[in-house]
Amino acid sequence: MVDRNGWGRDRPVLTGSPHSPPSSFVEQANVTDPGIYETFEEQWPECWERAADLLSWDRPYETVLEDDDAPFYRWFSDGSLNASANCLDRHLEAGRKTHTAIRWEGKHGERETYTYRDLYVAVNEFAAALRDLGVEEDDVVTIYLPMIPELPIAMLACARIGAPHSVVFAGLSADALATRMDAADSEFLLTCDGYYRRGDAFNQKSKADNAQLKLDQDVRTVVVDRLGDDLPHVLGDDEHDYHDLLETFGGETVDPVPRDAEDMLFLMYTSGTTGEPKGVVHTTGGYLAHAAWTTHAVLDVKPEDTYWCAADIGWITGHSYIVYGPLALGTTTVMYEGTPDYPDRDRLWEIVDRNAVDIFYTAPTAVRAFMKWGAKYPERHDLSSLRLLGTVGEPISPRPWQWYYEHIGDERCPVVDTWWQTETGAVTISTLPGIDEMKPGAAGPGLPGTDARIVDDDGIEVDPGESGYLTLARPWPGMARTLYDGDERFRTEYWDRFSDPDDDEWRYFSGDAARVDEDGYITVLGRVDDVINVAGRRLSTTEIESAVTDVGGVAEAAVVGRSSETNGTDVCVYVSTESGYDDDGAVREAIVDSIEASIGAIARPTTVLFTPELPKTRSGKIMRRLLEDVANGEELGDTSALRNPEIIGEIQAEIHDR
Ligand code: PRX
């Protein structure tokens, strides 16, 4: 077991004073019966019908859970449904066609509104276009788009025809896109000419073109013209203009393909402990049920709400809580293309105010930035429409939690700190805002129907207050079914560590460390593997290291996480060079460029430290754990077992001022 990061960095020392949910909130909450925990316990696994019954099924399911091939669980497996029909058609049939589905806010103040009818039309037209391009059921369609409406439209169009989508975050590099398309054997790509980054036009198509040069397969590409004359582009062979296609297929409708509950809905690549990203497979029934249920029960979304999850659809949060969860419930989901500080630091609050947003969900890294900027920005706006606040993606310490609660929520809105992962599909640990007390710094108990346990190295549950590994001892509907790269890797990555197959005892291992208190509230402490969480985004240190060692002149490298006030963790690179090379600025620049080329700007290091050698054990293993402690100014244990202990003092002196 790799335990490079100890028990996590951003550990809140203590949880803050508890808050009861405000009564004005409780009176209207979707879920208010405290008995739900016990009921779900008694009725497990049938309790999850509550989630599945939020959906419309083409063929009703009879079996809730099949567990005879654990850990390859199957949920609602004899049922069939279509995710796009659940997000669109049924709302039209219910007479809600003029209700707003998506409110899009562009980077430069542009606005677009899609009613459910508008969205239905666009999705159908694009589904017809995809079919015409040759996309068949089960073909993987890669989508490489920024936060523009065409992104959710394309996802739903894929879902409509039963083609799994694989959305690649637009900020990832050409290499990262190529790796993902190659791994998924994807022959279809939707991208755009470019997008605005702050004031500038940024070329996305050239990245997509470069990616294709690295692929063996022929790719059919659709290009959205986002920038018009600001960035002219030319279409090559087998490249099609998105808007021309919509015009060609104007008014066409495509019957939603009934999918078995266990058919794949999408693939989402995420960082793992090796350099190879993992293709997490989510299926149609269980995922959609879990996403819809948690949008209802945890985020308290109602169809008449204006709800805003300020994440990017390129990651799982946006899949579950900008697209599938809210649209399945028929609410209005806000989609924002820009950043929180452009053109000014009150941009988000201006959007909340103008749209009378009811629910706001964001990452702790954003909350820490708001706190740093100060209360004057939210105070410029009327935020009284807000009813509930949420966070996701990283631990939130009590201080930013409290700031969010007071300055954004006016002590009137519950704050849900939701723990989950790409692999869990949807929220797994959180308070239920209409029932549970909130404890700043703790996510809360496992949701009803889940069984979160904090265990030691032997899989034995630790006592309250002690740290251990966060595991889930029962399956849940939104869980990843496997990895696209193979069942074997799925088992080794998540199940082997704490399961006992001989006893048919299966434990999912999250890769996180956590602690539980006397009331069952879980504080998640951070990753214990080679994954670091930079501003809420998951990066593999191994993957970054391999980009660094690709650079000419680099002999060895170690990448660790370094605590940062705003990002939670920053990327810190230690390098030793081959003789003849030194820290002349050119190598440093080449390292940063290589990381950006192989992953993207999100992995850009804040510290690159050159050292004559890296600290190693006598057997030659680089002591990354120690380097992490050095980067974070922590007390170091005994270093005498190192082959070269003297190097530590040199590195400490160097890193001190950075
Ligand atoms: O370390 C945990 C952290 O984010 C990881 C999952 O990252 P990803 O798959 O990219 O999904 C992020 C959005 C769901 C987890 O292993 N994490 C997520 N939520 C929390 C968290 N850490 C602490 N508290 C949370 N609420």
Side-chain angles (χ1 to χ4, degrees), residues 270 315-317 361 364 391-396 417-424 429 443 510-513 523-527 531 533 536-538:
T270 188
W315 309 109
I316 193 72
T317 305
Y361 190 32
T391 67
V392 54
E394 305 160 77
I396 180 160
D417 168 359
T418 63
W419 177 89
W420 57 293
Q421 310 178 291
T422 305
E423 293 86 345
T424 69
I429 298 175
S510 64
D512 279 350
T523 290
V524 178
L525 301 167
R527 304 285 307 192
V531 171
N533 194 327
R537 280 160 187 169
R538 218 166 123 167

Side-chain angles (χ1 to χ4, degrees), residues 376-391:
K376 69 174 189 210
Y377 295 103
E379 279 165 8
R380 285 183 194 164
H381 299 277
D382 177 4
L383 305 183
S384 62
S385 58
L386 289 170
R387 184 172 87 239
L388 176 123
L389 301 173
T391 67

Side-chain angles (χ1 to χ4, degrees), residues 269-352:
Y269 280 90
T270 188
S271 299
T273 48
T274 69
E276 287 297 301
K278 300 189 277 200
V280 174
V281 172
H282 281 293
T283 57
T284 312
Y287 168 81
L288 196 62
H290 194 171
W293 164 249
T294 44
T295 309
H296 168 84
V298 178
L299 299 173
D300 198 55
V301 169
K302 301 173 172 54
E304 61 276 14
D305 283 339
T306 299
Y307 153 84
W308 183 12
C309 167
D312 195 294
I313 297 176
W315 309 109
I316 193 72
T317 305
H319 277 50
S320 302
Y321 297 111
I322 299 177
V323 183
Y324 286 113
L327 294 178
L329 296 186
T331 195
T332 300
T333 181
V334 176
M335 198 182 154
Y336 176 48
E337 188 193 27
T339 49
D341 57 350
Y342 183 82
D344 203 351
R345 290 172 168 177
D346 65 344
R347 177 72 168 130
L348 302 188
W349 317 125
E350 184 265 318
I351 295 175
V352 169

Side-chain angles (χ1 to χ4, degrees), residues 529-543:
D529 53 14
D530 293 345
V531 171
I532 53 175
N533 194 327
V534 176
R537 280 160 187 169
R538 218 166 123 167
L539 300 172
S540 150
T541 53
T542 323
E543 205 178 343

Side-chain angles (χ1 to χ4, degrees), residues 14 58 181 187 192 214 304 331 356 379 401 411 415 496 503 526 531 534 543 549 553 579 581 628 639 642:
L14 290 169
D58 295 325
M181 289 190 72
E187 296 177 345
C192 64
K214 296 174 199 284
E304 61 276 14
T331 195
E379 279 165 8
W401 191 103
E411 303 188 22
V415 175
D496 285 355
D503 256 358
V531 171
V534 176
E543 205 178 343
T549 47
S579 65
Y581 292 88
E628 198 190 8
T639 56
L642 291 179

